[in-house]
Amino acid sequence: MAAFTGKGEPSPRLLTPQNSMLLLIDHQPQMAFASHSIDVQLLINNVTGLAKSAKIFNVPVVFTTVAAKSFSGPLFATVQEVFPDKEPIDRTTMNSWEDQKLVEAVKQTDRKKLVMAALWTEVCLATASLSALDAGFEVYIVTDASAGVTAEAHEMAIQRMIQAGAVPVTWLQVLLEWQRDWARQETYNAVMNVAKEHAGGYGLGINYAKSMLGEHASEAQRELGK
């Protein structure tokens, strides 16, 4: 076995801001009303945190809605506020990958790793992710920023996608994988702010460390990130 000579190279399986893009599908009121695999307020929190994460790292983002004006309503307001000038691609197909505008928008990002979340998991996420996999993309499904009509529907869809080659992740995992190194000061404070706003107990820990440790809080915050 060769001797270790220095810092190891990161796995190409890992997400970086340079190799991935974010696709958010149908996070709309009408779709959320029937989503019962996760608390709706928690869902909104997670999707918003994911959108803010992408903005921090300048990760390309594509939004899509289905029948926004006639049935499903607009994109979640908290998500649209993160990217106020980005217009969602509205369509009629349940499988967003069958909409040419969306496929072209994804291809224009020139990224092969697709981070995807959708309502509902068993329909809009499953059909799009399976289609993207067959089109040669690497698909990372954000399970806690997606929801199904039942817990069983959500879980069976997740299993189906995993069997096809999709990689399950959570929104906070994506944020921290994009950051990767706490020495990256250009994004450090923004990541901490998103964590404090949306990461539950982890965010509480960051605030606690700051209030209890004062000037030593930065070091403690880095420890919390391990």
Side-chain angles (χ1 to χ4, degrees):
M1 181 181 294
F4 180 72
T5 58
K7 185 176 181 181
E9 290 298 320
S11 168
R13 298 175 186 270
L14 297 178
L15 297 168
T16 72
Q18 294 75 37
N19 69 15
S20 57
M21 60 87 60
L22 176 63
L23 175 56
L24 296 181
I25 303 172
D26 303 351
H27 290 92
Q28 302 166 264
Q30 183 64 40
M31 308 308 296
F33 294 155
S35 298
H36 297 294
S37 63
I38 186 174
D39 177 78
V40 173
Q41 189 57 51
L42 179 58
L43 171 69
I44 294 171
N45 172 80
N46 294 349
V47 179
T48 305
L50 181 59
K52 289 181 178 180
S53 301
K55 187 170 186 178
I56 290 171
F57 294 97
N58 295 314
V59 171
V61 176
V62 174
F63 296 142
T64 180
T65 54
V66 61
K69 294 183 178 180
S70 61
F71 181 71
S72 298
L75 188 70
F76 289 168
T78 55
V79 176
Q80 187 69 76
E81 287 169 2
V82 180
F83 294 93
D85 299 324
K86 182 172 288 294
E87 187 75 20
I89 298 171
D90 198 54
R91 55 178 217 290
T92 60
T93 60
M94 282 187 259
N95 178 7
S96 60
W97 207 261
E98 294 177 28
D99 185 277
Q100 192 59 36
K101 289 182 180 179
L102 181 135
V103 174
E104 290 176 356
V106 170
K107 289 182 177 179
Q108 285 175 3
T109 68
D110 197 30
R111 309 292 173 90
K112 296 300 290 184
K113 295 183 186 293
L114 273 55
V115 179
M116 299 172 59
L119 300 180
W120 297 319
T121 315
E122 66 272 29
V123 181
C124 298
L125 183 58
T127 56
S129 65
L130 294 173
S131 298
L133 284 166
D134 287 341
F137 290 87
E138 299 174 49
V139 174
Y140 295 72
I141 48 175
V142 190
T143 59
D144 61 351
S146 305
V149 296
T150 65
E152 182 178 9
H154 175 80
E155 182 58 32
M156 291 304 100
I158 294 298
Q159 290 191 29
R160 181 185 183 188
M161 288 181 278
I162 291 173
Q163 289 172 1
V167 180
V169 293
T170 61
W171 84 265
L172 183 57
Q173 178 184 351
V174 173
L175 170 64
L176 297 180
E177 200 159 312
W178 279 335
Q179 173 67 22
R180 194 82 57 76
D181 188 342
W182 292 119
R184 293 171 179 165
Q185 291 296 312
E186 65 274 13
T187 53
Y188 176 82
N189 288 332
V191 167
M192 287 292 103
N193 287 335
V194 169
K196 285 188 285 187
E197 292 173 1
H198 298 282
Y202 178 41
L204 285 175
I206 294 170
N207 279 321
Y208 176 84
K210 183 176 182 180
S211 63
M212 292 294 102
L213 302 177
E215 64 183 28
H216 302 293
S218 294
E219 182 178 348
Q221 287 168 4
R222 292 189 180 93
E223 288 298 318
L224 282 168
K226 290 183 178 178

